[in-house]
Amino acid sequence: MLSNHLQNGIETARLVWSRLPSSEEGERTEIELPSHSRGAESLDYEVIENYAYREAQAQRGKLWVSYYVVLKWLFSLIIGIGTGLAAVFINLAVENFSGWKYAATFSIIQHSYFVGFLVYILFNLGLVFSSVYIVTKFAPAAAGSGIPEIKGYLNGVDTPGILLFRTLIGKVFGSIGSVGGGLALGKEGPLVHTGACIASLLGQGGSKRYHLSSKWVRVFESDRDRRDLVTCGCAAGVAAAFRAPVGGVLFALEEVTSWWRSQLMWRVFFTSAVVAVVVRSAMNWCKSGKCGHFGSGGFIIWDISGGQEDYSFQELLPMAIIGVIGGLLGALFNQLTLFITSWRRKYLHKKGNRIKILEVCIISLVTSVISFGLPLLRRCSACPDSEMSPGIECPRPPGTDGNFVNFYCAKDSEYNDLATIFFNTQVMLAEYNNSYYIKHFYGSWFLVFDIMTFLLQDDAIRNLFSAKTFHEYSAQSLVIFLVMFYSLAVVTFGTAVPAGQFVPGIMIGSTYGRLVGMLVVKFYRKLNVEEGTYALLGAASFLGGSMRMTVSLCVIMVEITNNLKLLPLIMLVLLISKAVGDFFNKGLYEEQAQLRGIPLLESRPKLYMRNMTAKEASKNQKVVSFPRVVKVGNIVSVLRSNKHNGYPVVDQGQNGETLVIGLILRSHLLVLLQSKMDFQNSPFPCDMRGINRHNFSDFVKPVSSKGMSIEEIHLTEDELELYLDLAPFLNPSPYIVPEDMSLAKVYNLFRQLGLRHIFVVPRPSRVIGLITRKDLLLEERDHSATTELQSTSVRSQHPLLDSLLNQE
């Protein structure tokens, strides 16, 4: 009976959930994708081993190889320094804009409350307007967090515009306006995109459009090398956002990359370490007051190392409940943002940039108005007894960092719990902090101006995480804040401004985590239970339920809180929240990527692929191929009639059979048609030994751009009648699979190798050789020009290895 009720409940939940639009439904509807998502194409992570490539490799000596390796590590250093400085600049600008805003507001409110309220709104509107104007008019690809687009790039999908110099500028200055303007979002996601842009610009040698390029550093001529640099940039962005270098490495490994190797691990680790040094040095330098209102924070953002040190078995149940709540609220957040973003792009954003600007300004206005009235909803509470709670300072004056803030209170021994959540920013003017008159008369107005700025949410989160603060917050205040912030975060996400969801997610999760902690303290009545511990677990659970990260998020939470003892509990809630969230939908970035039309290849193939073959998957495709020597007019006709980016090249064997001799890319054909240097009158193959008209760099496509199109190439009638031998320019060793290979196996091969094309051929007629492990263990001997098997040189010393190799 119980199992039947449980099954009915699950089916009911699935039915209710299915009524909300899923990512697949959003994809089927005719949604207008943003301009920077149109025209996306796959990247060539596979090495094109054509004649030009082999000639270039033959001409590169040991000196060039050394220069290449040194430049890789130098770029890793520059990426770390650049991303760290960008993070410092964004934080410095945001905090100083906030300080100026509150200084002007306070000076006016002493004379007129209404005028001060208008100034406060106008400040926020001005900052938000600057952000949305930059994005809509200058850098459309800078909208959102940018993580779905970067994840698609590292998965092999190039979305035009996402890594340009203007996108970097729009991301930096747009983040300053959106975060400083008080919207319910963060700057962590945009910092990941910022690091990726810096890395990409270095990989292409700068920006030619803005005359910031150099040929001496333009040696990374393949998408594979650029992919590695972008991976370093993503890790640097997370390390700069959270001061979590190890978390940045794991974030790049777990969340955004589809390709990883040990050499890349070292460079990513080095880049993240450089970021940590740069950010810490800048913060220490700014502590002396040289940076205005910036620099008073520490390297560990929310240090709660003095909190709960142990936990009991009875606490595992409420902690598991926190994981379930995080999975449900995170999945609901993904579904609601998907629905609103889909509706916004289908109906609202089609009307142009003016509507986008108006939408963001209205959200900013609503956020400011709501925040203005929230402090008036709560009454002050009496401070805890100093004898029962030694070491607690209550109350604290406005503008200082800490708990138990005295706002809008009639007595000196009272504090406002709602003010404690919001009014803990360190950007207030120091000369006002010790003023008795301001503390008691204008304290409530300070709260009104600081509440819901979401500018420096670090202090509010630190208070929610804080230990030794029993019954500091009332359940009503936490519920009010949770409902309000959750709603604003859902509505704000997806607007035309740079927006991250890490810190808003932590704010949401820590709020309901603190609520659960209050119930645990009341139920168990044990003094060693800390409400702040449950706030930390709640933050981890919501991020796990929304973003579906586990290992990297676990390390990030440990690094930013400096509490290693809670690691097992964080692991527990992350596993539960991810499992619950996966029951309903995909992660936030996967949902948004699918909505944007970015075809991500997941880590595992679908179950139905096991029952399909490569032939069945490709039977509806019309294969367009070229002979080795082809007329120029035929090439132009094929390129105009279809949009394929790769074409098989076939030739006739000695017995008249058709042989596949390689793969020619569309971009390479366009280069050959544009140069016209390889056109010939004869319809017969040319002698490749005398060909040296092109360098390998001639075939390199510019980073994150559309490249050349067939419409841009103009040929005369006589040129169309000439011929072109494709053999020197094709890839003679493309990846090939037999027609009866399962589609799941093809999927794994395609994704793990980062391929763009793969040929499906009939079953091979004969075998010319068999390669085993021992055939790959080769070494060159200095005293001989021949190459011998390594296994033969170690057989006498390693009989077990010798026996194992012989069995193959």
Side-chain angles (χ1 to χ4, degrees), residues 513-803:
R514 188 102 187 182
L515 282 169
V516 175
M518 293 170 59
L519 296 177
V520 174
V521 172
K522 184 177 181 180
F523 180 78
Y524 288 114
R525 300 182 182 277
K526 296 171 64 175
L527 296 180
N528 62 337
V529 177
E530 295 287 352
E531 297 176 4
T533 301
Y534 289 84
L536 170 63
L537 298 179
S541 68
F542 184 83
L543 292 179
S546 176
M547 301 178 184
R548 313 294 160 79
M549 296 186 299
T550 52
V551 179
S552 59
L553 184 57
C554 183
V555 174
I556 289 174
M557 296 301 295
V558 171
E559 286 189 280
I560 64 179
T561 57
N562 195 26
N563 196 328
L564 189 60
K565 297 178 181 179
L566 298 180
L567 179 60
L569 302 181
I570 297 176
M571 296 171 64
L572 173 66
V573 297
L574 282 175
L575 290 174
I576 295 176
S577 62
K578 184 182 185 304
V580 173
D582 288 338
F583 181 80
F584 295 101
N585 52 27
K586 298 179 182 179
L588 178 65
Y589 300 136
E590 288 78 9
E591 295 278 10
Q592 294 297 320
Q594 194 166 5
L595 181 64
R596 287 167 168 80
I598 302 174
L600 292 179
L601 292 180
E602 300 178 0
S603 58
R604 295 186 302 175
K606 302 295 184 181
L607 293 178
Y608 68 85
M609 293 184 178
R610 299 178 181 178
N611 300 321
M612 292 183 61
T613 63
K615 181 179 180 179
E616 294 174 348
S618 59
K619 63 181 180 180
N620 295 327
Q621 299 177 4
K622 182 180 179 181
V623 179
V624 180
S625 61
F626 289 115
R628 172 178 174 173
V629 182
V630 59
K631 184 179 291 187
V632 174
N634 293 340
I635 298 178
V636 174
S637 176
V638 169
L639 294 182
R640 287 178 177 175
S641 61
N642 63 78
K643 300 299 182 182
H644 296 169
N645 290 299
Y647 301 91
V649 180
V650 297
D651 199 3
Q652 298 295 325
Q654 296 180 353
N655 299 327
E657 73 276 12
T658 301
L659 301 177
V660 179
I661 63 174
L663 170 72
I664 188 73
L665 295 180
R666 182 187 189 92
S667 58
H668 290 192
L669 290 173
L670 293 176
V671 172
L672 298 175
L673 294 178
Q674 179 72 21
S675 65
K676 306 177 183 180
M677 292 188 301
D678 301 281
F679 293 173
Q680 62 185 35
N681 296 317
S682 173
F684 300 102
C686 63
D687 186 6
M688 292 191 297
R689 291 177 297 179
I691 295 180
N692 194 18
R693 303 188 186 101
H694 292 280
N695 296 323
F696 181 70
S697 57
D698 296 338
F699 300 101
V700 176
K701 184 177 74 71
V703 176
S704 192
S705 66
K706 297 180 180 179
M708 196 184 308
S709 65
I710 186 63
E711 287 75 15
E712 300 174 2
I713 298 176
H714 303 284
L715 300 172
T716 63
E717 293 294 335
D718 294 335
E719 292 171 339
L720 293 176
E721 296 298 324
L722 298 178
Y723 294 89
L724 181 62
D725 187 0
L726 301 180
F729 314 106
L730 55 80
N731 181 10
S733 55
Y735 286 90
I736 297 175
V737 298
E739 60 181 351
D740 54 354
M741 178 181 287
S742 69
L743 188 58
K745 201 171 182 179
V746 175
Y747 184 97
N748 291 327
L749 178 67
F750 196 94
R751 187 184 187 277
Q752 292 175 9
L753 295 180
L755 303 181
R756 186 178 185 182
H757 305 95
I758 193 165
F759 286 170
V760 180
V761 298
R763 182 173 298 178
S765 59
R766 62 192 181 95
V767 178
I768 63 172
L770 180 66
I771 294 179
T772 62
R773 183 181 298 269
K774 66 180 182 180
D775 299 313
L776 302 176
L777 298 176
L778 301 175
E779 65 177 3
E780 287 186 355
R781 294 197 173 186
D782 298 336
H783 62 277
S784 175
T786 61
T787 303
E788 297 184 3
L789 289 176
Q790 184 179 6
S791 57
T792 59
S793 63
V794 298
R795 285 179 180 175
S796 60
Q797 301 178 4
H798 302 281
L800 180 61
L801 178 61
D802 181 31
S803 175

